[in-house]
């Protein structure tokens, strides 16, 4: 892993949403349990609700891949209904103040924005979900663009980040995220990767290949302070 002093100060930072900016479990888990109650009521699913650990281990994946892992034997109709219900229940859940950002996220984004760093989101989530969090938790104002697989119908986060970089003519950015898909998205597009280890959803090797790893979000400010300006 590189020393901070060897990194180049970025023109932009691209953030994953779940497990990086947003404490996903504070919104997801109540919605998850209610979702299976409704699926059972509607006859789409029978049996106990799958363990919470399964859905949490899927964070960062595309939604269609999540359901294949959580309810592999379900019908296509059941998985489609699960899509609809999860979005509905999570948007409703954003009204609850218990669904929160990680500590110091808002303050750190405001500081980076004031420094002139261009800020973006790249998430494998649905458009309404990703933008809904940014709006509901008062951080949308800091982002120049909020990109989601749901809006752009990209097959991977690599493709989504590639699209973002091209559209905004970004040459040097930091990809900031907590999953292997974030590391891959940054590295495959020739960018620096800052791995976030504070969510604890992934396996130990999840952030293998990241240039730096932070254990709290506000450490981004010191990392930014300590890096050199590109020449």
């Amino acid at each position: 892993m590189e020393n901070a002093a060897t990194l180049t100060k970025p023109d932009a930072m691209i953030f994953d949403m779940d497990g990086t900016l947003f404490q996903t479990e504070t919104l997801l888990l109540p919605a998850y349990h209610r979702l299976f109650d409704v699926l059972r009521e509607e006859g789409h699913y029978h049996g106990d609700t799958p363990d919470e650990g399964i859905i949490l281990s899927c964070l960062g994946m595309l939604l269609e891949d999540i359901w294949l892992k959580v309810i592999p034997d379900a019908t296509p109709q059941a998985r489609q209904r699960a899509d609809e219900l999860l979005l509905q229940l999570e948007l409703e859940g954003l009204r609850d103040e218990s669904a929160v950002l990680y500590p110091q996220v808002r303050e750190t984004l405001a500081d980076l924005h004031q420094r002139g760093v261009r800020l973006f989101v790249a998430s494998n989530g649905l458009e309404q979900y990703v933008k809904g969090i940014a709006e509901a938790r008062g951080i949308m104002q800091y982002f120049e663009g909020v990109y989601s697989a749901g809006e752009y119908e990209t097959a991977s986060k690599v493709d989504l980040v590639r699209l973002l970089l091209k559209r905004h003519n970004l040459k040097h950015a930091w990809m900031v995220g907590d999953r292997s898909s974030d590391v891959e998205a940054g590295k495959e597009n020739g960018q620096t990767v800052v791995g976030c280890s504070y969510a604890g959803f992934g396996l130990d090797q999840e952030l293998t290949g990241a240039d730096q790893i932070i254990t709290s979000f506000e450490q981004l400010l010191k990392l930014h302070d300590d890096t050199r300006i590109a020449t």
Side-chain angles (χ1 to χ4, degrees), residues 60-219:
M61 295 167 60
L62 295 171
L63 200 54
E64 61 188 81
D65 296 327
I66 290 175
W67 295 129
L68 286 173
K69 186 171 180 181
V70 175
I71 44 176
D73 298 326
T75 64
Q77 293 79 12
R79 289 195 290 269
Q80 181 179 350
R81 183 60 176 141
D83 278 353
E84 297 167 352
L85 282 170
L86 186 61
L87 177 60
Q88 173 192 328
L89 293 167
E90 288 186 321
L91 291 178
E92 291 173 0
L94 284 173
R95 302 171 192 158
D96 190 335
E97 293 302 317
S98 64
V100 296
L101 302 170
Y102 284 102
Q104 296 298 306
V105 163
R106 188 179 294 106
E107 295 84 351
T108 300
L109 292 174
D111 196 326
L112 291 169
H113 185 264
Q114 188 173 21
R115 296 179 185 202
V117 181
R118 300 169 69 186
L119 306 179
F120 299 86
V121 169
S123 168
N124 274 338
L126 296 173
E127 177 184 6
Q128 288 175 276
Y129 169 77
V130 177
K131 291 182 177 177
I133 292 171
E135 292 282 6
R137 293 299 170 260
I139 57 175
M140 181 65 89
Q141 62 186 311
Y142 302 121
F143 298 114
E144 188 173 330
V146 175
Y147 284 66
S148 64
E151 180 176 3
Y152 292 98
E153 300 182 345
T154 46
S156 71
K157 187 167 281 190
V158 173
D159 295 336
L160 186 64
V161 170
R162 181 180 297 119
L163 174 66
L164 188 163
L165 292 167
K166 183 176 180 180
R167 283 195 170 195
H168 296 274
N169 194 30
L170 300 177
K171 303 301 182 185
H172 183 64
W174 288 359
M175 180 70 221
V176 184
D178 70 309
R179 304 310 298 265
S180 59
S181 57
D182 299 309
V183 178
E184 181 185 29
K187 289 303 178 183
E188 288 293 318
N189 285 292
Q191 305 302 318
T192 297
V193 175
V194 178
C196 304
S197 67
Y198 43 81
F201 297 137
L203 302 174
D204 290 342
Q205 67 269 29
E206 195 80 34
L207 296 174
T208 299
D211 298 292
Q212 285 288 319
I213 293 179
I214 57 175
T215 56
S216 63
F217 192 77
E218 67 269 23
Q219 288 178 357

Side-chain angles (χ1 to χ4, degrees), residues 13-86:
M13 293 189 191
I14 303 169
F15 298 95
D16 173 48
M17 178 62 80
D18 289 322
T20 300
L21 301 177
F22 184 61
Q23 291 191 51
T24 314
E25 71 277 16
T26 64
L27 178 65
L28 173 62
L29 294 183
Y32 180 72
H33 287 284
R34 177 59 184 147
L35 179 151
F36 277 95
D37 289 342
V38 176
L39 288 180
R40 281 188 287 264
E41 291 167 7
E42 295 179 349
H44 289 296
Y45 184 80
H46 306 281
D48 296 333
T49 300
D51 187 88
E52 293 176 350
I54 301 175
I55 188 75
L56 291 175
S57 72
C58 293
L59 293 178
M61 295 167 60
L62 295 171
L63 200 54
E64 61 188 81
D65 296 327
I66 290 175
W67 295 129
L68 286 173
K69 186 171 180 181
V70 175
I71 44 176
D73 298 326
T75 64
Q77 293 79 12
R79 289 195 290 269
Q80 181 179 350
R81 183 60 176 141
D83 278 353
E84 297 167 352
L85 282 170
L86 186 61

